Amino acid sequence: MIRLNLSASARWIDLAPGLRLHVLPVTTAVMASARADSALDDLSADAPREVLAVAMAKAVARQVVIGWEGVGDEDGEPLAISPEGIDALIDIWPVFEAFQEQCLGPHLVLDAEKNGSAPSPNGTSEGAIDTAKPARGRARTARQG
């Protein structure tokens, strides 16, 4: 079952102790726009999936992060949000993982679920691969026992 959150309001997510992001909902429009981000164009066609995942997370984060707490510069002074700051934050492995899980996770789970089914071009299981071997010999019924 898909549970819809019809609220378009931003929410706070805790990514690490003392680090919170204020994020807009990740919508289809956000994901489509992130896929068209120019930073993704700079990647080679055979870039590893991990590189693509980080680039996509950065593209989404640049669109949805509207506030943060617990982010400072080299001197510990609070840092204003900027695209470069968001990219640097996502480059921190635990932050990337938490952002993936809490912000992108629901969208990615649905995306993965749609890829789990065998192709069914005409509504039947025509594209599915047989997993059982054909029976040999004459079939017996329960009455023949």
Side-chain angles (χ1 to χ4, degrees):
M1 171 189 307
I2 295 176
R3 296 180 185 195
L4 297 177
N5 178 358
L6 300 178
S7 170
S9 38
R11 64 187 177 99
W12 285 96
I13 57 174
D14 297 316
L15 299 184
L19 173 61
R20 294 178 2 135
L21 297 182
H22 199 207
V23 295
L24 296 169
V26 177
T27 63
T28 301
V30 167
M31 292 302 290
S33 178
R35 286 182 178 160
D37 190 287
S38 62
L40 296 175
D41 294 339
D42 296 337
L43 299 176
S44 68
D46 59 343
R49 288 179 51 180
E50 297 80 11
V51 171
L52 294 172
V54 172
M56 188 67 176
K58 287 178 179 181
V60 170
R62 287 191 298 270
Q63 293 187 49
V64 300
V65 175
I66 59 172
W68 60 23
E69 293 177 357
V71 180
D73 63 14
E74 300 87 19
D75 300 323
E77 295 298 318
L79 191 62
I81 294 176
S82 68
E84 298 79 20
I86 290 172
D87 287 356
L89 190 62
I90 296 297
D91 277 335
I92 300 170
W93 176 253
V95 173
F96 165 75
E97 284 289 304
F99 183 78
Q100 286 275 90
E101 180 182 318
Q102 295 184 46
C103 192
L104 297 177
H107 181 79
L108 297 175
V109 167
L110 289 176
D111 197 41
E113 285 177 0
K114 75 176 181 186
N115 293 329
S117 301
S120 300
N122 67 356
T124 67
S125 296
E126 178 179 315
I129 298 171
D130 292 334
T131 57
K133 294 179 183 177
R136 288 195 265 159
R138 195 179 74 144
R140 296 186 329 181
T141 65
R143 289 185 190 153
Q144 291 175 335

